[in-house]
Amino acid sequence: MAAYFGRRLYKGAATTAVAAAAVAALTASQAPGNTVDGQDRPTAAGTAPASDDDGAATGNSPYYTDLPPLNSPSPAPSATAGPSTPQTPAEAGIPATVLDAYKKAAAELRAGKPGCNLPWELLAAIGKVESGQARGGRVDAEGTTLSRILGPVLNGSGFAHISDTDHGAYDGDTTYDRAIGPMQFIPSTWAWAGRDGNGDGKKDPNNIYDAALAAGHYLCRNGWDLSNAADLDKAILSYNNSQDYLNTVRSWLEYYRRGTHTIPDGTGPLPSNRSDDTARTHRASSSPAASTPGASPRPGRSGKDGNGSGGASDKPSDAGTTPATGNGGGSPSRTPSPTPSRSASQPTMPPTPTDRVDHLADAHTGKLTAMAGDTFAQRIHTRAETEAGAAVAKVRVRFTIIGDTDTTFAGGEKVATVLTDTTGVAVAPALRAGEQTGGFTVRALVVGRTVSGLEYKATVTERAADTLTRTSDTPLTCTPGGAFADRVEVRATYRGAAADDVAATATLVTSADDPAENDKGPYFKDADGKPVRTLKNLRTDDKGLLTLPKLYADDTTGTFLLRIITTGGATLTVELKVAPADTSAEPSPGTSAEPSPSTSADASPSA
């Protein structure tokens, strides 16, 4: 059995030091000293206790204090690993949809706020501490919790005092606020931090995709760089201003970084110990009532106000469901489940569409090819099927871009999760080619089920043009030894649209039938002023235009050819003429061809 330690953090008790030391060892960082605020919440030394209206995501509500086992998952199991083993403890397993939400949110933040450097493992750590990964992954196909997860009533009795701000819309309480959802946002924070993470047009704190994306943006505000330890601590403390909270989140962050694996939704281990539960247990152990045989705190009460009227002990809880322990009190069990499998007292999850999937099949996806910078014309279509080949609707399919490429899905993400429609088909977002050419792979997998996936090959080619034209029809002429007055400018297009950033080569060729470089006639000049008759690595601008350097002529007269070729095969041949200046000029009517005395060659200058 995996080794466990520090299962309860007793605030103010001697065991706090032991637990804090253990966490510090896990996180490889020394935490600052602890202080205690007026509500018996440890806070980071050097920081003021969080006020009730400081915008903290959770309103400093209670959280789960369970710590990861000492034996980390090593080597790290694959994302599609099977049941946990002694090398992959149950705590390393994250429910499939919940894990997908964390990774999707982190990918979106990498694209939108790259300077934040948000690791998905941080979202997983906070999700573990706040709700036990949405109560072990009890979510539906869209990522919405099967029942609401609510924190205690924030009525000032042992907790912060936050009057109702959402008219009960999220928490069902029209008098006080409560933390809501798998990431435990208070309604007033969700009002500005909420996001739509699954693209359904709603911002629902009870949806893990929405909540994870909101948490990511919340942690990335204020310009914090989470790869910096100091900024990371600030971000975590802004979520819940407690040093013990910081230590606990940090321990799970480091644990998840060492390896995780996917487990089916609804099979995750339920959390056991909560920060307000441990405080109650410590106080009860020293009270006269606790020493009386059979005496115990009132079920469902935190007891933090000393008179049994504290906030309801249901953070996080499933409103309207039977407590997982079956004790009727709503308090989590004191003994953690050592494996992801359900105990007899846990609610049985109804069969899901995902359970019916036997394999994925391609649904007539076309050839995946695009030029650099363009959007792929074809989109990936994948069908979820039973063993008999029947379609399975409402199944999440995860598409992942693999390989050395800067191609992304629309929105700049490398991972996209799509729900299959009534025909069982999931259509991936459009692929957008980057500037890096070459091949890569898009892998399709069923979220929450280890069935064979599909791999789609895709290719990014160089930018190309199919047509070249001159922007002017002015003849290009020059005298021997002179310079052409006009520069050659051409426009490149592809299928009628401007072809920007297309590579081109310009060569003064020998003849129409001989593409070899001419050794006489017009030429360009290099940086040293020497003749050059081939220009490489030319590029059209953002309007598809290419203007060549100035052309010069040697003493050879005649007609010469300049040939311009682009990637994609567009070719244009431009004619250049070198001829002596025309000195013959007929006299104007009424004038004499004889020179006048004043302009005669032998006329003497006037005195």
Side-chain angles (χ1 to χ4, degrees):
M1 178 179 292
Y4 292 82
F5 71 96
R7 280 304 189 190
R8 299 177 183 175
L9 299 180
Y10 292 95
K11 296 183 178 70
T15 54
T16 302
V18 177
V23 174
L26 274 173
T27 59
S29 63
Q30 288 195 344
N34 292 347
T35 61
V36 178
D37 67 7
Q39 296 179 7
D40 197 27
R41 294 190 303 252
T43 61
T47 64
S51 64
D52 295 343
D53 59 353
D54 68 349
T58 68
N60 296 319
S61 295
Y63 56 92
Y64 285 113
T65 59
D66 294 3
L67 295 172
L70 283 172
N71 56 319
S72 298
S74 179
S78 67
T80 57
S84 60
T85 68
Q87 286 74 39
T88 62
E91 285 75 6
I94 300 177
T97 298
V98 177
L99 178 60
D100 186 60
Y102 296 150
K103 290 187 175 182
K104 186 176 187 295
E108 184 164 331
L109 266 298
R110 280 197 302 273
K113 296 182 179 180
C116 176
N117 294 305
L118 171 73
W120 69 260
E121 293 90 346
L122 176 58
L123 297 176
I126 290 177
K128 177 69 174 180
V129 168
E130 291 296 341
S131 68
Q133 310 298 19
R135 300 293 286 164
R138 298 187 63 224
V139 297
D140 63 16
E142 287 75 27
T144 302
T145 57
L146 298 181
S147 54
R148 288 190 300 184
I149 300 176
L150 297 174
V153 177
L154 299 177
N155 59 6
S157 296
F159 306 105
H161 183 286
I162 303 180
S163 298
D164 174 60
T165 61
D166 66 332
H167 305 291
Y170 293 122
D171 54 20
D173 193 327
T174 57
T175 305
Y176 301 102
D177 271 347
R178 304 173 72 174
I180 46 178
M183 302 304 279
Q184 288 291 277
F185 281 92
I186 55 174
S188 57
T189 302
W190 183 260
W192 61 266
R195 294 293 193 280
D196 176 13
N198 62 353
D200 64 356
K202 297 183 294 184
K203 299 177 182 179
D204 182 3
N206 298 299
N207 182 279
I208 186 59
Y209 286 93
D210 294 359
L213 183 58
H217 279 280
Y218 185 91
L219 294 165
C220 286
R221 72 196 194 286
N222 298 332
W224 286 326
D225 177 1
L226 302 186
S227 65
N228 176 281
D231 281 359
L232 175 63
D233 287 352
K234 290 176 185 176
I236 296 172
L237 286 170
S238 77
Y239 213 90
N240 190 314
N241 193 34
S242 159
Q243 184 64 41
D244 279 350
Y245 181 86
L246 171 64
N247 291 343
T248 306
V249 169
R250 276 276 210 159
S251 70
W252 283 107
L253 169 60
E254 296 306 316
Y255 182 74
Y256 286 141
R257 276 174 166 167
R258 291 170 186 152
T260 61
H261 61 275
T262 302
I263 59 176
D265 291 342
T267 65
L270 297 178
S272 303
N273 301 294
R274 220 176 53 186
S275 56
D276 60 330
D277 293 333
T278 55
R280 176 188 65 194
T281 303
H282 170 63
R283 291 178 180 177
S285 66
S286 60
S287 66
S291 63
T292 304
S296 63
R298 292 179 59 190
R301 301 290 184 180
S302 71
K304 292 192 75 170
D305 60 357
N307 60 12
S309 61
S313 181
D314 58 358
K315 179 194 189 285
S317 69
D318 298 304
T321 64
T322 303
T325 62
N327 62 10
S331 298
S333 168
R334 293 287 187 248
T335 304
S337 172
T339 68
S341 61
R342 296 185 186 88
S343 64
S345 61
Q346 283 184 252
T348 300
M349 290 288 292
T352 67
T354 304
D355 298 330
R356 300 175 53 219
V357 178
D358 176 76
H359 60 272
L360 292 177
D362 177 51
H364 308 293
T365 301
K367 187 177 181 180
L368 298 171
T369 302
M371 290 194 305
D374 285 356
T375 298
F376 282 69
Q378 295 290 331
R379 293 169 67 176
I380 297 174
H381 291 64
T382 301
R383 177 179 159 100
E385 298 181 349
T386 65
E387 185 176 4
V392 184
K394 288 196 171 183
V395 172
R396 288 195 172 275
V397 177
R398 180 191 298 128
F399 298 95
T400 305
I401 297 173
I402 300 170
D404 185 15
T405 181
D406 56 356
T407 297
T408 64
F409 291 113
E413 301 175 1
K414 292 279 189 177
V415 179
T417 305
V418 181
L419 204 65
T420 57
D421 60 18
T422 55
T423 66
V425 175
V427 182
L431 288 164
R432 292 183 178 175
E435 295 304 318
Q436 190 169 343
T437 60
F440 63 94
T441 300
V442 179
R443 180 176 297 158
L445 293 171
V446 178
V447 175
R449 190 163 175 81
T450 54
V451 299
S452 298
L454 290 178
E455 290 193 347
Y456 295 86
K457 301 300 182 182
T459 304
V460 177
T461 62
E462 289 189 71
R463 294 170 182 261
D466 56 17
T467 305
L468 276 176
T469 56
R470 275 193 67 196
T471 59
S472 170
D473 57 2
T474 303
L476 296 167
T477 60
C478 181
T479 58
F484 286 80
D486 297 311
R487 295 170 65 178
V488 177
E489 183 182 69
V490 296
R491 176 180 289 107
T493 57
Y494 183 78
R495 295 180 180 177
D500 63 309
D501 202 28
V502 174
T505 299
T507 304
L508 289 150
V509 298
T510 301
S511 69
D513 300 323
D514 186 355
E517 180 181 288
N518 204 339
D519 60 356
K520 58 186 176 181
Y523 61 89
F524 301 104
K525 287 183 180 180
D526 64 12
D528 297 324
K530 296 180 180 179
V532 174
R533 290 187 169 88
T534 298
L535 298 178
K536 299 181 179 180
N537 301 317
L538 303 172
R539 290 274 174 183
T540 59
D541 64 15
D542 59 352
K543 297 179 180 179
L545 297 177
L546 172 63
T547 303
L548 299 182
K550 196 175 185 66
L551 276 164
Y552 300 87
D554 62 14
D555 293 334
T556 309
T557 59
T559 299
F560 302 89
L561 301 178
L562 169 66
R563 182 164 294 165
I564 305 170
I565 301 176
T566 69
T567 303
T571 302
L572 177 67
T573 302
V574 180
E575 191 175 85
L576 307 173
K577 289 186 178 181
V578 180
D582 186 2
T583 58
S584 63
E586 294 185 7
S588 301
T591 62
S592 171
E594 296 296 328
S596 63
S598 60
T599 59
S600 173
D602 58 354
S604 301
S606 58

